[in-house]
């Protein structure tokens, strides 16, 4: 049984290819090599696939072998996702080249691309160039810019490195029949772009917008079949692809959405073109040029083409050049060329290409909302004409390369003439903190979209602001002027601070927890008087609060009740998930739609969990949307290929059948990490081996080796001439140094051994997993996969319940921190400490000392 390629397996193989280049250059430099090689291998594999199909078709038509071979090299037979691949670019086929040497024509046999070992960079460059030359309509200028011989610093990648790089892709089968689901390669490409964005840091902003922000823009635009969508700063194309996928979610045909984009940066434009093609979107019209100076999409009258939807994340705060600016009528208000004020020039361009009933969503820096001068005049223009429908304030540090907060401007020409307000949504306080970046949670996205679609006031979150009020503020659109979401000040009861007790009013302010967890309040607090409570005797220390809440019967029972409701829902709706798999009795039946399943289950789970108050409706919907998104590749695989054992993760197979392999790997990795940390510490300044591990830094080793050579030399001299010194002393010192060096070398050797061990275990692990997977039947796989889907759903919602529990604990701990210790207690402890110190001073003979 041939196992198909899953997304996780493809990601691992691509990661291995990245690892081979990571030491030689950074992600911003080698990403085009990965994309180029992936496209090259895919084109060649598809070419082989198409040739096999054509050969079978021509033979069935009765064509002779010679005629078949002649027809196979006719480029007219290759279109859409199939590219004609000339001989020198074919991955698996050797070829012959005619050359002239010394005036004589010779035929030289050339190896298949996967076997090239010399001048590898040149061979790859020529292969990409040849594919582009033979497919100019689709690939003009897309591949020739990729140069495997480009200098990185002072050198180029050597043949061995590039040959290993090629071999990594030899392990990746890229025919359609190799994939678990049809769009697997597109999903992997998106994963790669995200991976490079995470690695490239500030430079990532040129080609990547966080998926959560894109999702908001897409849902706001809400495209339908038959529409045209345009991104004037298209980057790697993610926004256009998500527009297509969103239409699929709604049950529409993605083929009925016309996609257009323009990108200034050549490398990014090339990545976008490949992204579209690898997603199977051959009809996307992606142009390269500066959108402000020279927009490329024109209609049959040579005027700017108009679009139903526009979505974009333009580069923040850039300068632009007015010289030779085409279609200047796009800009009712010209921004200054200098001072990094191009933001609203992009907005005006987008607005100018919107149809009379079109809608757009664009990401902007906050400064465009309140700066004066021409930017004020532009805001006035948008508001007076009724174009500005909504402003959405986002949290800070969401984007690569900048920590500044951003916003989304929503312009809508439909109903503009009668629009007398602007919807302000202040969502800047609702997010999840990350190490390098912050992230919008699924419930945050859901709440923003709900607020926009509901178009009504939500306290401390969103508000419909009348046009007159904005005019009175001189068109200043700073969001906090209209929607203040600052939390109320922390209350402090002076009497409670002085005399003790917890104010009842502050305890009652936590009513949502007491409603969700009956009896918890009565068990945590006891009455002091009509106005104050005390902490119950069971809580003698702040550290006891967490365990008290977690183990409280009302908390446990409410969570169990919630999880049982979820379990019941899962069992009732499991047939919908199971129906994703192809019908074995009807192989030609229409494949099930993952997006239709998602829509159906989302509505169902929202209804099933509507009666509980532990999670908000935004959390219920957001959690499930996130669950499906995380497992989207698995669901697509089930819909396309059924219950294949490929969908069982390697770790699950290892844990169930080869736990000893996992344990050995974990031990080796743990010890290696320990040693690597030890060597890293040794290279720091002022390092001292206080634990006597034997590790030394490179300077110490170098110094000891020099001293060893010196002492051995002196020992020899002293043996020949005793007057030179005591040979035995030098000999003992040399032996001590040798012991030190041997201890250090033993640690270095252990690192090498561990690396070899880990590599061996990983190789063995892969073979064991492959062997075990091949023995798993479809029925067994189905049971394991369904249980995994169930467990992941349960864990997704358990995480939300734990978060609610932590919030409850934090609220009670906050009350403890404020009121558990009174001012009088603090003063008494201070006075007691002062008396004790005075007594010590008297005992030491300092009777007159003052404390």
């Amino acid at each position: 049984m041939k196992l198909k390629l899953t997304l996780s397996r493809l990601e691992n193989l691509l990661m291995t290819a990245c690892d081979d280049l990571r030491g030689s250059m950074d992600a911003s430099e080698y990403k085009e090599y990965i994309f180029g090689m992936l496209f090259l291998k895919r084109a060649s594999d598809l070419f082989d696939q198409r040739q096999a199909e054509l050969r079978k078709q021509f033979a069935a038509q009765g064509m002779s072998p010679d005629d078949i071979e002649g027809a196979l090299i006719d480029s007219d037979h290759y279109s859409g996702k199939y590219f004609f691949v000339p001989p020198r670019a074919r991955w698996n086929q050797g070829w012959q080249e005619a050359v002239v040497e010394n005036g004589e024509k010779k035929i030289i046999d050339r190896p298949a691309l996967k076997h090239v070992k010399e001048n590898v960079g040149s061979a790859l460059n020529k292969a990409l160039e040849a594919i582009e030359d033979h497919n100019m309509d689709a690939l003009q200028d897309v591949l020739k810019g990729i140069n495997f011989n480009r200098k990185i610093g002072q050198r180029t990648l050597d043949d061995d490195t590039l040959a290993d790089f090629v071999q990594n892709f030899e392990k990746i089968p890229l025919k359609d029949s190799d994939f678990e689901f049809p769009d697997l390669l597109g999903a992997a490409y998106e994963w790669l772009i995200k991976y490079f964005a995470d690695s490239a840091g500030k430079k990532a902003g040129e080609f990547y917008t966080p998926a959560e922000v894109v999702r908001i823009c897409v849902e706001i635009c809400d495209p339908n079949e038959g529409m045209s969508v345009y991104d004037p700063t298209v980057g790697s194309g993610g926004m256009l692809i998500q527009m297509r996928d969103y239409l699929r979610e709604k049950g529409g045909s993605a083929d009925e959405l016309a996609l257009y984009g323009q990108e200034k940066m050549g490398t990014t434009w090339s990545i976008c073109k490949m992204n579209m093609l690898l997603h199977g979107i051959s009809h996307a019209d992606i142009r390269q040029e500066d959108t402000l100076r020279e927009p490329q999409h024109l209609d049959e009258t040579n005027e700017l083409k108009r679009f139903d939807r526009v979505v974009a994340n333009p580069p923040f705060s850039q300068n632009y050049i007015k010289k030779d600016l085409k279609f200047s009528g796009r800009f009712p208000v010209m921004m200054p060329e200098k001072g990094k004020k191009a933001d609203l020039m992009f907005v005006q361009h987008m607005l100018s290409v919107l149809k009379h009933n079109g809608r757009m969503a664009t990401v902007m820096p906050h400064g465009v909302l309140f700066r004066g001068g021409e930017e004020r005049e532009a805001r006035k223009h948008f508001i007076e004409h009724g174009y500005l429908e909504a402003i959405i304030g986002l949290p800070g540090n969401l984007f690569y390369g900048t920590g500044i907060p951003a916003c989304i401007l929503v312009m809508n020409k439909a109903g503009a003439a009668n629009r007398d307000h602007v919807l302000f949504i202040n969502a800047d306080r609702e997010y999840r903190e990350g190490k390098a970046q912050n992230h919008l949670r699924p419930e945050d996205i859901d709440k923003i979209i709900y607020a926009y679609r509901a178009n009504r006031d939500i306290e401390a979150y969103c508000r419909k602001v009348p046009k007159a009020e904005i005019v009175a503020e001189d068109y200043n659109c700073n969001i906090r002027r209209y929607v203040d979401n600052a939390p109320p000040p922390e209350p402090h009861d002076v009497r409670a601070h002085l005399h003790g007790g917890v104010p009842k009013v502050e305890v009652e302010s936590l009513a949502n927890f007491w409603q969700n967890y009956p009896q918890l309040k009565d068990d945590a607090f006891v009455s002091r008087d009509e106005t104050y409570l005390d902490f119950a005797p069971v809580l003698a220390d702040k550290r006891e609060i967490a365990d008290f809440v977690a183990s409280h019967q009302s908390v446990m029972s409410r969570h169990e009740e919630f999880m049982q409701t979820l379990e019941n829902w899962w069992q009732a709706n499991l047939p919908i998930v199971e129906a994703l798999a192809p019908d074995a009795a009807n192989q030609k039946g229409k494949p099930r739609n993952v997006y239709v399943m998602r829509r159906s289950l989302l509505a169902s789970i929202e209804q099933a969990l509507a009666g509980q108050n532990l999670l908000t409706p935004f959390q219920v919907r957001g959690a499930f949307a996130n669950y499906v998104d995380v497992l989207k590749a698995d669901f697509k695989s089930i819909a396309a290929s059924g219950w294949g054992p490929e969908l069982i993760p390697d770790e699950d197979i290892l844990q169930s059948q080869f736990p000893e392999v996992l344990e050995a790997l974990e031990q080796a990795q743990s010890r290696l990490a320990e040693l690597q940390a030890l060597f890293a510490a040794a290279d720091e300044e002022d390092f001292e081996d206080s634990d006597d591990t034997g590790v030394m830094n490179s300077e110490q080793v170098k110094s000891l080796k020099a001293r060893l050579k010196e002492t051995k030399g002196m020992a020899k001299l002293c043996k020949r001439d005793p007057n030179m010194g005591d040979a035995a002393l030098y000999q003992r010192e040399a032996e001590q140094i040798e012991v030190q060096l041997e201890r250090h070398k033993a640690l270095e050797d252990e690192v090498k051994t561990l690396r070899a061990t880990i590599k061996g275990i990983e190789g063995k692990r892969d073979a064991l997993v492959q062997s075990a997977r091949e023995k798993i039947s479809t029925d067994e796989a189905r049971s394991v996969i369904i249980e995994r889907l169930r467990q992941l759903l349960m864990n997704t919602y358990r995480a939300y319940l734990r978060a609610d529990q932590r919030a409850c604990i934090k609220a009670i701990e906050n009350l403890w921190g404020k009121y558990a210790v009174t001012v009088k207690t603090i003063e008494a402890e201070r006075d007691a400490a002062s008396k004790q110190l005075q007594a010590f001073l008297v005992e030491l003979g300092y009777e007159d000392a003052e404390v």
Side-chain angles (χ1 to χ4, degrees), residues 87-88 90-96 109-113 115:
R88 74 177 317 134
R90 294 175 190 170
W91 194 267
N92 297 304
Q93 300 175 28
W95 57 292
Q96 292 184 324
D109 289 327
R110 301 292 189 192
L113 206 56
H115 293 312

Side-chain angles (χ1 to χ4, degrees), residues 18 85 155 272 283 349 411 414 709 712 723 781 818 847:
C18 291
V85 178
R155 64 187 184 86
C272 179
H283 64 278
H349 164 74
M411 303 279 184
K709 186 177 180 181
K712 284 185 173 181
N723 293 324
K818 287 199 292 183
E847 291 87 349

Side-chain angles (χ1 to χ4, degrees), residues 414-434:
N418 300 316
R419 186 168 291 119
D420 60 357
H421 68 271
V422 175
L423 180 68
F424 283 78
I425 300 174
N426 195 349
D428 66 359
R429 288 190 176 275
E430 301 184 5
Y431 61 93
R432 173 175 61 82
E433 287 188 9

Side-chain angles (χ1 to χ4, degrees), residues 566-579:
L566 186 63
E567 176 68 36
N568 294 342
W569 175 86
W570 169 258
Q571 296 302 333
N573 287 273
L574 182 56
I576 297 176
V577 177
E578 292 178 312

Side-chain angles (χ1 to χ4, degrees), residues 531-718:
T531 313
Y532 295 93
L533 303 172
D534 281 321
F535 283 98
V538 70
L539 295 176
D541 190 279
K542 182 179 180 180
R543 289 171 294 186
E544 296 173 354
I545 294 174
D547 286 341
F548 169 77
V549 172
S551 60
H552 195 274
Q553 183 57 41
S554 66
V555 175
M556 295 171 63
S557 61
R558 284 287 281 122
H559 287 190
E560 287 171 7
E561 180 185 336
F562 180 98
M563 296 306 296
Q564 186 58 54
T565 302
L566 186 63
E567 176 68 36
N568 294 342
W569 175 86
W570 169 258
Q571 296 302 333
N573 287 273
L574 182 56
I576 297 176
V577 177
E578 292 178 312
L580 271 180
D583 185 355
N586 181 17
Q587 294 294 327
K588 295 183 179 180
K590 186 178 179 181
R592 304 300 200 277
N593 190 316
V594 174
Y595 299 108
V596 171
M597 179 206 74
R598 179 189 188 275
R599 193 165 65 250
S600 170
L601 293 182
L602 183 57
S604 172
I605 199 168
E606 183 180 5
Q607 184 177 2
L609 298 175
Q612 55 77 40
N613 295 309
L614 289 170
L615 305 186
T616 68
F618 306 118
Q619 290 174 318
V620 170
R621 290 192 298 266
F624 188 77
N626 188 54
Y627 165 74
V628 176
D629 286 346
V630 167
L631 290 168
K632 185 161 59 177
D634 294 69
F635 285 128
K636 285 183 176 180
S637 295
I638 293 167
S641 307
W643 307 101
E646 303 91 336
L647 293 181
I648 304 173
D650 292 0
E651 294 300 309
D652 289 3
I653 292 177
L654 285 167
Q655 196 65 58
S656 63
Q657 299 193 38
F658 309 106
E660 70 284 354
V661 174
L662 273 181
E663 185 179 355
L665 182 61
E666 186 178 340
Q667 288 177 352
Q669 289 173 333
S670 175
R671 176 57 178 163
L672 179 61
E674 181 184 331
L675 290 175
Q676 287 173 329
L678 203 59
F679 280 105
D683 286 330
E684 293 178 0
E685 258 185 82
D686 304 323
F687 168 72
E688 290 184 14
D689 188 14
S690 54
D691 294 331
D692 192 30
T693 61
V695 72
M696 294 182 287
N697 60 41
S698 53
E699 288 300 318
Q700 289 174 310
V701 173
K702 184 178 178 182
S703 175
L704 278 179
K705 284 182 176 178
R707 180 58 184 164
L708 178 62
K709 186 177 180 181
E710 183 182 336
T711 51
K712 284 185 173 181
M714 288 300 298
K716 288 181 182 178
L717 284 174
C718 292

